[in-house]
Amino acid sequence: MNGYMFLALAVWLCAWALNEWLVRQTPRSLAVSRAIGLAVPFIFGVTLLVIWECLVRGFEIPPILLPAPSAIWAKLTGSVPVLWADFQQTFLKSVITGYVAGCGLGFLVAILIDRSPFLQKGLLPIGNFVSALPVVGVAPIMVMWFGFDWPSKVAVVVIMTFFPMLVNTVQGLSAASHMERDLMRTYAASWWQTLVRLRLPAAWPFIFNALKINSTLALIGVIVAEFFGTPIVGMGFRISTEVGRANIDMVWAEIAVAAVAGSVFYGLVALSERAVTFWHPSVRGGRR
């Protein structure tokens, strides 16, 4: 045990020293700066995995409580067909479809609400109420309504992503200042021209904020919904089933796939935000 503890401590100290040195650098090259920005979290993540491995082996923790990263990796590489089928069912079918439908519908309804003060005062409070509903309460109802396959999971995602997009878009559409709106009126711009050329660009940071929030909510919602009824495939189904069989390494393999998929999805939305809102101070301030 002492050998593993010393190894964990040594790795932690070396990684800490290396990251401290990296973050204190002020490179003039943008490529080097981006490389450092990627290297720091990568080193930190690898360090956590090494410490995890050392602690499990050093304290001889039973695999049923906490498997080592090496055991999880072995299960992951040895179960690629099963994991791929679960990924297709959960992420490609349920998450993506529900995410696009929920965010798109929320955006369109926000445009309609912007044209109607009655809807703005009547629907937004209901939206805040519905967004507070727990997914564990909504998921069984959607399974009863739409069946056990992926359409019921899409319905859960639509409910979870609709109102964050609605509220953020409505708030973003009001972000343009009165002076800017008055300027558009002096140019005799119509409501549609003002929306496209002024108010919608000002709302993009709010819209992308909702898109980033929903990218994680969608995956969580589908996995939780699959606990309440699904065909014999899916990340949530696999986690629930393998916990009952005490195959904890398979559970962690599914968690790893979900974490990587969610992180990549969030990263793609964040990169899209940088491309669309390149003019915003939060984006310009991060560039050298």
Side-chain angles (χ1 to χ4, degrees):
M1 182 182 70
N2 292 333
Y4 286 112
M5 295 303 101
F6 282 124
L7 177 59
L9 181 60
V11 170
W12 174 259
L13 292 176
C14 292
W16 190 332
L18 178 58
N19 274 344
E20 281 288 339
W21 179 79
L22 288 174
V23 297
R24 295 179 186 275
Q25 302 303 307
T26 55
R28 297 180 180 180
S29 172
L30 180 60
V32 176
S33 178
R34 290 179 176 176
I36 292 176
L38 294 174
V40 171
F42 176 78
I43 293 172
F44 186 78
V46 172
T47 303
L48 291 181
L49 291 176
V50 172
I51 294 175
W52 179 355
E53 183 81 21
C54 292
L55 291 177
V56 170
R57 292 180 179 273
F59 289 104
E60 298 181 351
I61 300 176
I64 195 172
L65 296 180
L66 182 63
S70 58
I72 298 172
W73 176 255
K75 176 61 70 173
L76 196 152
T77 55
S79 306
V80 172
V82 175
L83 294 173
W84 173 246
D86 293 340
F87 176 80
Q88 285 182 303
Q89 175 74 14
T90 298
F91 196 86
L92 299 182
K93 290 184 179 180
S94 303
V95 172
I96 298 299
T97 306
Y99 180 84
V100 173
C103 293
L105 188 60
F107 177 80
L108 294 178
V109 174
I111 300 297
L112 296 177
I113 286 179
D114 183 70
R115 295 286 289 168
S116 173
F118 168 74
L119 289 177
Q120 186 172 359
K121 294 181 180 180
L123 187 59
L124 285 182
I126 298 177
N128 294 328
F129 171 77
V130 174
S131 62
L133 294 177
V135 63
V136 293
V138 175
I141 298 175
M142 295 299 104
V143 171
M144 293 175 60
W145 286 0
F146 298 100
F148 289 95
D149 210 348
W150 61 271
S152 60
K153 317 308 179 294
V154 171
V156 173
V157 175
V158 169
I159 294 175
M160 294 185 66
T161 59
F162 174 81
F163 290 103
M165 174 58 72
L166 174 66
V167 173
N168 278 274
T169 304
V170 170
Q171 185 178 3
L173 290 174
S174 62
S177 66
H178 292 288
M179 184 179 298
E180 293 169 331
R181 297 184 189 183
D182 291 340
L183 180 62
M184 296 297 291
R185 293 192 189 98
T186 61
Y187 291 148
S190 64
W191 177 88
W192 179 255
Q193 290 173 323
T194 303
L195 174 69
V196 173
R197 298 181 181 273
L198 172 63
R199 302 181 65 204
L200 195 56
W204 277 124
F206 296 85
I207 294 173
F208 273 103
N209 184 50
L211 289 173
K212 289 188 291 186
I213 293 173
N214 287 340
S215 66
T216 56
L217 285 179
L219 183 57
I220 294 172
V222 172
I223 291 177
V224 172
E226 287 179 345
F227 277 70
F228 296 94
T230 185
I232 54 173
V233 66
M235 293 182 179
F237 165 80
R238 196 72 55 195
I239 292 173
S240 176
T241 303
E242 299 302 331
V243 165
R245 296 174 178 175
N247 294 330
I248 307 302
D249 50 355
M250 186 63 178
V251 174
W252 278 97
E254 290 283 358
I255 293 174
V257 172
V260 172
S263 299
V264 171
F265 191 19
Y266 183 94
L268 292 176
V269 176
L271 289 176
S272 301
E273 179 185 19
R274 292 182 66 87
V276 174
T277 62
F278 58 90
W279 49 268
H280 197 264
S282 63
V283 176
R284 289 188 287 110
R287 294 181 176 179
R288 297 183 182 274

